[in-house]
Amino acid sequence: MTNLWLYFSSPKTFYPLAGKLIPVFSLLAIILIAIGLYMGFAVAPTDYKQGDSYRIIYIHVAAAWMSMFIYVVMAGWAAVGMIWNTKLSDMMAGSLAPTGAMFAFVALWTGALWGKPTWGTYWVWDARLTSELILLFLYVGFIALRSAIDDPRRAARASAVLAVVGVINVPIIYFSVRWWNTLHQGASVSPEMAPKMAATMLWAMFVMAMAFWMYTIAVVLARVRSEILERESSTEWVREILARQR
Amino acid sequence: MLQIRDLECRRGDACLFSGMNFELQDGQLLHVKGSNGSGKTSLLRIICGLFLPAAGTVSWQGLDIRENRDEFNRALCYIGHLNGLKDDLTAVENLSIHARLTGTPATRDQIESALERVGLMHRAYLATKVLSQGQKRRVALARLLLGGARLWVLDEPFTALDVKAVSQLQGVMRDHLAKGGSVLLTTHQDVEISSSSHRDINLDTWAKSA
Amino acid sequence: MGEVSLITALRTVVAREITLAMRRRTDVFTTLFFFIIAVTLFPLGVGPDIEVLRTIAPGVIWVAALLASMLALSRLFSSDFQDGTLEQLLLAPHPLSLLVLGKVFAHWLLTGVPLVVLSPLLGMQLGLDAQAIGLLMGTLLLGTPILSLIGAVGAALTLGVRGGGVLISLLVLPLYVPVLIFGAGAVDAQAKAVEFGAWLYLLGAFLVMTIVFAPFAAAAALRISVE
């Protein structure tokens, strides 16, 4: 098992493996998105209070979950890279960041769209939305630091430190924002979700989250592949691949 | 004794050298040679533990320097391209701070005699920002005379020094070698320190033929 | 022997920072005046209604303190990096994280403490009463070291990076959020006559946590940046 792990943790063996996995995960993502959207838009019942506008949560909630998961996974890869000094984990961390940032943005965007019909305003200083916004800032900082440093090895190591510091802070930020929200209760309406959600609604959300996972894996693998080509461009095997494609 | 095993150094995409092996015994001087950009400074920084090699290990007295950093740092004195002096402080203050940081506090007399030896006693109490390049270099080199570092790693120590200072420094190095210390240096100048313990290595031997 | 020399080294680091700051006093005053000017801008922007100012005062003073201490960060390592003394610090035979802690402590004495000392004046300007001002000072005293510690990680990461000055704000400000919330929250809670002790405990807990973790992160970041 460990040997297998080591075998695939070298860029040279990982590159073709990733190439084979991308279509699989892409296909899974498409199928799951189709199922999830069908469940969410056709099967799940209309909300008695909010009508059909609530249906955006199938994207909103799944995207918000993903944005948080991805940050933790990213920091995990960053830590692995720091401890064992493996190139591939650095690339994983770096490739996850743009997707995580995108999901954070999507969560905010759909949150605003959901807010307009529900509370009559695009933005409320709700605890969840606010911490999502700060999470987006954390992603932006990570991406900015990574791209500001020219040397790829230094960029990877520096941003790994930032990701680990960030992930320790994420729960503190989350809870501090919640407490801040309770202190200033009068200022905003907290958009609590209906306490009892129909089982189909939960299932639809879960399927959408899985679909986003599959999409994330496919995109990240593709990004890692191109980064491998870029960073290993001086090696023999990459030259062979490039020569074959010409 | 300093041991270098299978060292590989990369700068960005370029591999500067790989598979490097050598040893530096006590009482020996090693002159690192190589063309521009062959990785002389990188090698010295790797040996000091300031730069992470792509592969390989550096060990001091048989122990990996990354795992015994404090121990190794006690034995090391590194003088790089930068002099490591605070412009706003005097030469004496700079040296005294350095001595205390390295765990070998020096008395004023010791510091003054070190400055005397590099011929800078008359500038000892001036802020180093008013000193010339060569004088600043001498203050930096006076660090070698304080504390008991056994391994000296010197990156172009003769830069900006005049003829007299160069021969003074050569004398200092000869004394250090005679006492069983070792020196690793790069320089473009042709210097002869001591014929018996002097060795050259050329980085171009390990350069990866691209 | 090892411990004695470590204490000597720590004392040397702190004393060195203070000596250097005393030879370039303007640096300390720039931060301080930035703090004063930033707070003064708010009444000019919001209007002189003392009731409004009183409600926003804790937030305004805290945000200004956040920005002021962030501006001072760029000096924390960069001059040492440029003249090579940072390399020498890295080669000292002591744990780098502790030396960093010493450096951050000195930095806090020079930039954080003046903010705390000056804050009553600004609090009065914005119509806070004596009790609120006392609490504000307390939160700043607990909170500004956190700003310096977290900031040190950001400063170490952006060392020698092009556009480092702007980049550091991007990295550090989101991480400052809990400090801002706990600090301004305590003063706000007191104004609303709610229990404010919890906020101070949280701030204290966060301070302990950053003292434990931040020096390690900053030391790791320094080793990476000096390469």
Side-chain angles (χ1 to χ4, degrees):
Chain A
M1 186 62 210
T2 337
N3 286 335
L4 197 70
W5 175 250
L6 279 180
Y7 176 71
F8 282 117
S9 68
S10 118
K12 186 180 174 182
T13 43
F14 185 80
Y15 182 83
L17 175 73
K20 285 191 201 97
L21 289 178
I22 290 173
V24 179
F25 284 106
S26 311
L27 193 67
L28 279 174
I30 293 170
I31 296 171
L32 284 173
I33 285 178
I35 299 175
L37 288 181
Y38 175 74
M39 280 172 79
F41 283 84
V43 181
T46 305
D47 189 84
Y48 76 100
K49 238 163 76 191
Q50 298 178 25
D52 279 326
S53 68
Y54 91 94
R55 288 183 195 275
I56 202 162
I57 63 166
Y58 297 113
I59 292 169
H60 172 73
V61 174
W65 282 348
M66 286 306 295
S67 65
M68 283 178 245
F69 280 145
I70 289 179
Y71 198 89
V72 175
V73 175
M74 184 178 93
W77 279 117
V80 168
M82 267 163 82
I83 297 165
W84 286 290
N85 198 15
T86 44
K87 274 188 201 168
L88 206 56
S89 35
D90 290 340
M91 297 186 198
M92 282 287 197
S95 308
L96 277 162
T99 310
M102 182 206 75
F103 277 125
F105 182 75
V106 166
L108 288 169
W109 186 259
T110 51
L113 288 182
W114 186 23
K116 188 65 183 167
T118 321
W119 308 288
T121 167
Y122 284 111
W123 181 260
V124 285
W125 287 96
D126 155 63
R128 270 192 229 112
L129 283 177
T130 311
S131 33
E132 190 70 46
L133 184 63
I134 295 165
L135 185 65
L136 178 64
F137 294 157
L138 288 179
Y139 274 120
V140 171
F142 181 90
I143 297 169
L145 179 65
R146 217 179 156 85
S147 59
I149 303 175
D150 293 323
D151 181 49
R153 187 176 69 160
R154 194 187 144 190
R157 292 172 66 210
S159 54
V161 172
L162 184 67
V164 172
V165 170
V167 86
I168 297 174
N169 260 280
V170 162
I172 301 173
I173 293 175
Y174 180 76
F175 284 108
S176 66
V177 170
R178 279 189 63 166
W179 291 322
W180 161 78
N181 201 240
T182 43
L183 177 68
H184 303 272
Q185 197 54 268
S188 74
V189 204
S190 189
E192 284 298 325
M193 238 177 303
K196 273 174 282 163
M197 270 203 302
T200 39
M201 291 186 184
L202 267 179
W203 272 109
M205 260 195 262
F206 179 72
V207 171
M208 284 305 289
M210 287 317 288
F212 284 173
W213 256 126
M214 298 303 126
Y215 161 80
T216 306
I217 295 173
V219 173
V220 166
L221 288 180
R223 257 191 225 119
V224 169
R225 258 167 73 95
S226 58
E227 194 162 336
I228 288 177
L229 287 188
E230 213 173 303
R231 278 215 230 166
E232 307 278 298
S233 59
S234 57
T235 59
E236 204 50 45
W237 67 272
V238 170
R239 278 194 208 142
E240 272 171 35
I241 289 176
L242 293 179
R244 242 181 287 145
Q245 281 177 353
R246 227 165 256 151
Chain B
M1 187 180 70
L2 186 78
Q3 265 186 326
I4 308 299
R5 285 276 164 271
D6 298 322
L7 208 61
E8 179 178 327
C9 169
R10 282 169 177 275
R11 273 270 175 205
D13 286 336
C15 177
L16 296 183
F17 51 78
S18 68
M20 175 184 288
N21 285 292
F22 67 82
E23 281 169 12
L24 178 62
Q25 308 285 351
D26 293 350
Q28 245 186 8
L29 178 140
L30 194 65
H31 183 172
V32 180
K33 293 183 169 171
S35 43
N36 288 107
S38 60
K40 295 187 293 290
T41 294
S42 297
L43 173 64
L44 261 47
R45 292 179 71 85
I46 287 175
I47 288 172
C48 294
L50 288 172
F51 188 81
L52 190 67
T57 55
V58 178
S59 38
W60 172 250
Q61 315 290 32
L63 299 170
D64 190 328
I65 60 156
R66 295 201 159 264
E67 281 150 28
N68 297 278
R69 219 189 268 276
D70 290 359
E71 212 46 50
F72 176 63
N73 285 353
R74 231 181 282 279
L76 171 76
C77 188
Y78 168 69
I79 295 177
H81 281 290
L82 298 168
N83 287 324
L85 301 173
K86 277 282 159 208
D87 267 355
D88 287 331
L89 300 178
T90 66
V92 171
E93 283 169 326
N94 267 305
L95 291 175
S96 145
I97 286 172
H98 177 82
R100 269 180 283 155
L101 266 183
T102 50
T104 49
T107 61
R108 179 164 296 226
D109 285 348
Q110 285 170 313
I111 294 173
E112 284 182 355
S113 75
L115 283 171
E116 184 81 67
R117 182 125 190 236
V118 294
L120 215 66
M121 195 44 224
H122 59 300
R123 297 277 185 272
Y125 293 96
L126 289 180
T128 47
K129 64 182 157 204
V130 303
L131 301 185
S132 75
Q133 279 305 323
Q135 288 173 323
K136 284 183 193 172
R137 197 71 184 156
R138 291 187 199 198
V139 179
L141 290 165
R143 282 207 296 263
L144 296 172
L145 298 165
L146 297 167
R150 295 186 50 203
L151 173 65
W152 292 358
V153 177
L154 313 174
D155 198 352
E156 297 289 346
F158 300 108
T159 326
L161 293 186
D162 55 28
V163 182
K164 196 174 153 221
V166 168
S167 74
Q168 270 173 340
L169 179 59
Q170 280 170 300
V172 169
M173 283 197 237
R174 240 184 314 261
D175 288 353
H176 179 63
L177 293 172
K179 277 187 274 177
S182 25
V183 179
L184 191 75
L185 89 158
T186 66
T187 176
H188 287 297
Q189 261 143 327
D190 243 345
V191 281
E192 184 63 38
I193 310 287
S194 85
S195 47
S196 57
S197 52
H198 189 129
R199 254 175 68 207
D200 285 354
I201 58 166
N202 197 327
L203 290 188
D204 299 331
T205 13
W206 291 287
K208 216 167 190 182
S209 45
Chain C
M1 149 76 203
E3 269 169 45
V4 175
S5 77
L6 175 60
I7 291 166
T8 317
L10 277 179
R11 230 194 269 145
T12 310
V13 169
V14 175
R16 186 192 85 136
E17 295 297 309
I18 291 170
T19 317
L20 283 171
M22 288 305 113
R23 303 226 170 135
R24 288 200 187 256
R25 258 161 285 183
T26 34
D27 282 357
V28 176
F29 287 111
T30 339
T31 316
L32 211 53
F33 276 100
F34 172 83
F35 183 51
I36 300 170
I37 292 170
V39 172
T40 311
L41 287 178
F42 278 87
L44 297 176
V46 176
D49 182 350
I50 201 73
E51 279 310 312
V52 176
L53 290 178
R54 187 175 298 142
T55 29
I56 62 169
V60 165
I61 293 176
W62 256 102
V63 170
L66 230 67
L67 296 176
S69 86
M70 192 199 72
L71 279 184
L73 285 176
S74 53
R75 289 200 309 271
L76 183 53
F77 298 118
S78 67
S79 78
D80 286 1
F81 178 63
Q82 275 153 15
D83 59 26
T85 43
L86 190 62
E87 276 174 1
Q88 296 297 335
L89 199 70
L90 259 62
L91 294 176
H94 305 289
L96 182 59
S97 50
L98 285 175
L99 298 181
V100 168
L101 190 63
K103 231 173 134 44
V104 173
F105 175 70
H107 186 257
W108 173 71
L109 281 182
L110 293 164
T111 59
V113 172
L115 299 187
V116 179
V117 173
L118 205 73
S119 60
L121 214 62
L122 297 173
M124 281 192 290
Q125 251 190 344
L126 299 182
L128 288 180
D129 58 29
Q131 250 192 321
I133 287 176
L135 189 59
L136 179 71
M137 283 181 82
T139 58
L140 282 171
L141 198 62
L142 279 174
T144 44
I146 309 181
L147 302 181
S148 298
L149 282 160
I150 296 180
V153 181
L157 284 173
T158 53
L159 206 54
V161 173
R162 64 192 137 76
V166 188
L167 188 58
I168 192 170
S169 57
L170 213 57
L171 306 189
V172 157
L173 287 178
L175 299 175
Y176 279 176
V177 166
V179 189
L180 174 65
I181 289 177
F182 298 151
V187 188
D188 238 13
Q190 190 241 22
K192 289 182 175 147
V194 215
E195 162 66 24
F196 61 82
W199 299 96
L200 291 182
Y201 291 137
L202 286 169
L203 203 56
F206 197 41
L207 173 60
V208 171
M209 212 189 95
T210 40
I211 289 179
V212 174
F213 288 111
F216 286 102
L222 278 183
R223 290 213 187 274
I224 295 165
S225 294
V226 166
E227 280 207 344

